[in-house]
Amino acid sequence: EAQLVESGGGLVQAGGSLRLSCATSGFTFRSYGIAWFRQAPGKKREAVSCISGENGSTWFHDSVKGRFTISNDHGKRTVWLQMNNLKSEDTAVYYCAADRSGYCVGTSLGAAMDYWGKGTLVTVSS
């Protein structure tokens, strides 16, 4: 069965950095896009970033562009989200999710994901 397991969340001061990991199994990694979403208390879930397993293209929400980077390793079947210059508004539960289209267009347009992780909490203190 498909699994996505996030790790790396925690407490960090504003201006600091964290790297989140998404370890995957049970599906063909190279055929999926892997996206990061976040949900803050009282807010709707929003897409943050995505990387395509097909061609490595990436997408970022405007709110994190220039601060976050995304990368993957096909051998490890893992995606990382490097978060720099963190702000209080980045506080949220972060989820990774898999999109069988293999690309990031669906993520940017709000399409449904096929598999989800359970999330990891990121808290940015000011």
Side-chain angles (χ1 to χ4, degrees), residues 33-69:
I34 305 296
W36 288 95
F37 292 76
R38 66 187 181 188
Q39 187 167 26
K43 302 281 189 175
K44 65 187 299 183
R45 184 175 293 173
E46 66 176 3
V48 177
S49 186
C50 176
I51 186 164
S52 168
E54 290 283 356
N55 63 11
S57 64
T58 61
W59 172 87
F60 297 91
H61 192 276
D62 286 346
S63 65
V64 306
K65 194 171 292 184
R67 299 189 296 121
F68 291 10
T69 59

Side-chain angles (χ1 to χ4, degrees), residues 2-112:
Q3 292 188 38
L4 297 90
V5 180
E6 303 94 337
S7 62
L11 175 64
V12 64
Q13 293 185 43
S17 298
L18 281 175
R19 190 180 76 161
L20 305 183
S21 296
C22 175
T24 75
S25 62
F27 63 94
T28 305
F29 187 83
R30 60 178 168 82
S31 299
Y32 283 72
I34 305 296
W36 288 95
F37 292 76
R38 66 187 181 188
Q39 187 167 26
K43 302 281 189 175
K44 65 187 299 183
R45 184 175 293 173
E46 66 176 3
V48 177
S49 186
C50 176
I51 186 164
S52 168
E54 290 283 356
N55 63 11
S57 64
T58 61
W59 172 87
F60 297 91
H61 192 276
D62 286 346
S63 65
V64 306
K65 194 171 292 184
R67 299 189 296 121
F68 291 10
T69 59
I70 190 168
S71 60
N72 64 12
D73 186 305
H74 287 256
K76 294 183 171 63
R77 299 176 56 85
T78 298
V79 172
W80 296 270
L81 183 69
Q82 178 68 47
M83 306 186 296
N84 299 320
N85 191 25
L86 284 161
K87 304 175 180 180
S88 294
E89 50 262 46
D90 296 317
T91 294
V93 177
Y94 284 71
Y95 302 86
C96 62
D99 178 4
R100 65 184 175 183
S101 79
Y103 300 93
C104 293
V105 176
T107 298
S108 69
L109 296 177

